[in-house]
Amino acid sequence: KYTIQRLERGRYYAYVKAWAIDGDGDHLPYYQAGTEIRAPSTTGEEGYPVSLMLGKGEVNVTWGFDNYAQCGAVGVQDIVISLAPSESVDCTLGQYLVDEVNAASGYTLTVDGVDENGDVTWTGAYAENPIDMKPGLHIDAQVILSEVAK
Protein backbone atom coordinates (compact mmCIF):
# COMPACT_ATOMS: atom_id res chain seq x y z
CA LYS A 1 0.00 0.00 0.00
CA TYR A 2 1.28 3.45 -0.94
CA THR A 3 -0.15 6.84 0.05
CA ILE A 4 0.33 9.94 -2.08
CA GLN A 5 0.53 12.88 0.33
CA ARG A 6 -0.92 16.38 -0.29
CA LEU A 7 -2.56 15.55 -3.61
CA GLU A 8 -4.77 18.38 -4.91
CA ARG A 9 -8.48 17.64 -5.09
CA GLY A 10 -9.42 15.99 -8.40
CA ARG A 11 -9.32 12.86 -10.51
CA TYR A 12 -6.02 11.32 -11.59
CA TYR A 13 -4.72 8.37 -13.52
CA ALA A 14 -2.05 6.51 -11.56
CA TYR A 15 0.32 4.22 -13.45
CA VAL A 16 2.17 1.64 -11.35
CA LYS A 17 5.37 -0.11 -12.47
CA ALA A 18 7.05 -2.94 -10.59
CA TRP A 19 10.73 -2.97 -11.57
CA ALA A 20 12.87 -6.11 -11.69
CA ILE A 21 16.36 -7.06 -12.74
CA ASP A 22 16.37 -9.73 -15.45
CA GLY A 23 19.00 -12.37 -16.20
CA ASP A 24 20.99 -9.90 -18.33
CA GLY A 25 21.17 -7.38 -15.48
CA ASP A 26 18.68 -5.02 -17.14
CA HIS A 27 16.48 -3.05 -14.72
CA LEU A 28 13.04 -3.03 -16.38
CA PRO A 29 9.41 -2.36 -15.37
CA TYR A 30 8.33 -5.99 -15.75
CA TYR A 31 4.85 -5.56 -14.29
CA GLN A 32 2.63 -2.58 -15.00
CA ALA A 33 -0.94 -1.35 -14.58
CA GLY A 34 -2.94 1.82 -14.21
CA THR A 35 -6.08 2.93 -12.46
CA GLU A 36 -8.11 6.08 -11.91
CA ILE A 37 -7.87 7.59 -8.43
CA ARG A 38 -9.57 10.51 -6.70
CA ALA A 39 -8.52 13.00 -4.10
CA PRO A 40 -9.90 12.84 -1.57
CA SER A 41 -10.15 9.07 -1.82
CA THR A 42 -13.55 7.42 -1.93
CA THR A 43 -12.18 4.01 -0.92
CA GLY A 44 -11.32 4.69 2.72
CA GLU A 45 -8.50 2.62 4.20
CA GLU A 46 -8.75 -0.08 1.50
CA GLY A 47 -7.08 2.08 -1.15
CA TYR A 48 -7.31 1.52 -4.88
CA PRO A 49 -6.61 -2.05 -6.02
CA VAL A 50 -4.19 -2.36 -8.93
CA SER A 51 -3.75 -5.72 -10.65
CA LEU A 52 -0.28 -5.71 -12.15
CA MET A 53 0.18 -7.44 -15.50
CA LEU A 54 3.26 -8.44 -17.42
CA GLY A 55 4.45 -5.28 -19.14
CA LYS A 56 4.90 -4.71 -22.86
CA GLY A 57 7.82 -3.19 -24.69
CA GLU A 58 8.19 -0.61 -27.42
CA VAL A 59 10.36 -0.06 -30.47
CA ASN A 60 11.07 3.43 -31.82
CA VAL A 61 11.66 2.79 -35.52
CA THR A 62 13.51 5.37 -37.63
CA TRP A 63 14.28 4.93 -41.31
CA GLY A 64 16.38 6.38 -44.08
CA PHE A 65 17.58 5.47 -47.56
CA ASP A 66 21.01 4.12 -48.48
CA ASN A 67 21.41 6.91 -51.06
CA TYR A 68 20.64 9.56 -48.37
CA ALA A 69 17.59 10.78 -50.37
CA GLN A 70 14.26 11.88 -48.93
CA CYS A 71 10.96 10.00 -49.34
CA GLY A 72 9.64 12.10 -52.25
CA ALA A 73 12.91 11.94 -54.17
CA VAL A 74 12.80 8.12 -54.24
CA GLY A 75 9.03 7.92 -54.82
CA VAL A 76 8.16 6.40 -51.45
CA GLN A 77 4.81 7.46 -50.04
CA ASP A 78 4.25 5.07 -47.13
CA ILE A 79 6.39 2.99 -44.84
CA VAL A 80 5.20 -0.46 -43.77
CA ILE A 81 6.77 -1.52 -40.47
CA SER A 82 6.56 -5.26 -39.93
CA LEU A 83 7.05 -6.30 -36.34
CA ALA A 84 3.89 -7.60 -34.72
CA PRO A 85 1.56 -6.78 -36.42
CA SER A 86 2.58 -4.59 -39.37
CA GLU A 87 1.71 -0.88 -39.46
CA SER A 88 1.65 1.55 -42.36
CA VAL A 89 2.66 5.19 -41.79
CA ASP A 90 3.49 8.26 -43.88
CA CYS A 91 7.12 8.08 -44.98
CA THR A 92 7.80 11.75 -44.20
CA LEU A 93 7.32 11.10 -40.47
CA GLY A 94 10.82 9.65 -40.38
CA GLN A 95 10.08 7.68 -37.23
CA TYR A 96 7.28 5.75 -35.57
CA LEU A 97 6.85 4.29 -32.08
CA VAL A 98 5.55 0.73 -32.11
CA ASP A 99 4.19 0.32 -28.60
CA GLU A 100 2.38 -2.47 -26.82
CA VAL A 101 4.81 -5.13 -28.14
CA ASN A 102 4.29 -8.37 -26.23
CA ALA A 103 7.26 -9.85 -24.43
CA ALA A 104 8.63 -12.64 -26.62
CA SER A 105 11.78 -13.81 -28.37
CA GLY A 106 12.56 -13.85 -32.05
CA TYR A 107 10.79 -10.79 -33.45
CA THR A 108 12.04 -9.72 -36.88
CA LEU A 109 11.76 -6.03 -37.74
CA THR A 110 11.57 -5.13 -41.44
CA VAL A 111 10.63 -1.85 -43.10
CA ASP A 112 9.30 -1.50 -46.65
CA GLY A 113 8.95 1.69 -48.67
CA VAL A 114 5.76 1.70 -50.74
CA ASP A 115 5.10 3.94 -53.75
CA GLU A 116 1.78 5.58 -54.73
CA ASN A 117 0.69 2.38 -56.53
CA GLY A 118 1.16 0.28 -53.38
CA ASP A 119 4.28 -1.45 -54.70
CA VAL A 120 7.25 -2.11 -52.42
CA THR A 121 10.14 -0.24 -54.04
CA TRP A 122 12.55 -0.01 -51.08
CA THR A 123 13.18 -2.45 -48.24
CA GLY A 124 15.39 -2.93 -45.22
CA ALA A 125 15.79 -4.94 -42.02
CA TYR A 126 16.95 -4.00 -38.54
CA ALA A 127 20.64 -4.92 -38.22
CA GLU A 128 20.15 -6.44 -34.76
CA ASN A 129 17.38 -8.90 -35.70
CA PRO A 130 16.08 -11.01 -34.07
CA ILE A 131 14.68 -8.85 -31.28
CA ASP A 132 14.08 -10.37 -27.87
CA MET A 133 11.40 -8.14 -26.36
CA LYS A 134 11.30 -7.95 -22.60
CA PRO A 135 8.54 -6.35 -20.54
CA GLY A 136 9.13 -2.60 -20.26
CA LEU A 137 12.04 -2.59 -22.72
CA HIS A 138 12.51 0.38 -25.09
CA ILE A 139 14.52 -0.21 -28.27
CA ASP A 140 15.69 2.46 -30.70
CA ALA A 141 15.88 0.76 -34.09
CA GLN A 142 17.23 2.48 -37.19
CA VAL A 143 16.56 0.76 -40.52
CA ILE A 144 18.29 1.73 -43.78
CA LEU A 145 16.31 0.93 -46.90
CA SER A 146 17.80 -0.17 -50.22
CA GLU A 147 16.06 -0.09 -53.59
CA VAL A 148 14.32 -3.32 -54.60
CA ALA A 149 15.79 -4.80 -57.79
CA LYS A 150 13.40 -4.40 -60.73
Side-chain angles (χ1 to χ4, degrees):
K1 184 175 172 178
Y2 182 79
T3 302
I4 302 172
Q5 300 292 330
R6 295 180 291 282
L7 192 60
E8 298 262 340
R9 178 178 292 273
R11 297 173 97 168
Y12 298 89
Y13 187 79
Y15 196 71
V16 180
K17 295 179 181 181
W19 292 75
I21 297 176
D22 69 4
D24 296 330
D26 295 325
H27 195 195
L28 300 169
Y30 259 63
Y31 297 96
Q32 307 167 10
T35 189
E36 186 177 286
I37 62 172
R38 295 176 186 215
S41 174
T42 58
T43 64
E45 289 295 315
E46 294 177 20
Y48 292 91
V50 178
S51 298
L52 295 174
M53 298 173 26
L54 189 61
K56 297 184 182 208
E58 60 186 21
V59 180
N60 187 41
V61 182
T62 57
W63 55 87
F65 300 94
D66 64 1
N67 63 358
Y68 305 104
Q70 299 294 316
C71 299
V74 294
V76 172
Q77 184 172 347
D78 293 318
I79 292 292
V80 177
I81 301 168
S82 296
L83 186 60
S86 64
E87 300 188 42
S88 181
V89 299
D90 184 329
C91 182
T92 60
L93 291 174
Q95 71 176 19
Y96 184 77
L97 181 67
V98 181
D99 59 358
E100 299 293 316
V101 180
N102 290 324
S105 298
Y107 284 111
T108 300
L109 170 61
T110 59
V111 175
D112 292 327
V114 178
D115 66 13
E116 64 184 14
N117 297 321
D119 297 326
V120 174
T121 55
W122 291 76
T123 191
Y126 181 47
E128 297 182 36
N129 278 335
I131 296 172
D132 292 330
M133 183 54 68
K134 298 174 187 176
L137 184 63
H138 173 90
I139 296 173
D140 288 315
Q142 182 180 28
V143 178
I144 303 300
L145 285 74
S146 298
E147 192 169 13
V148 174
K150 296 178 182 175

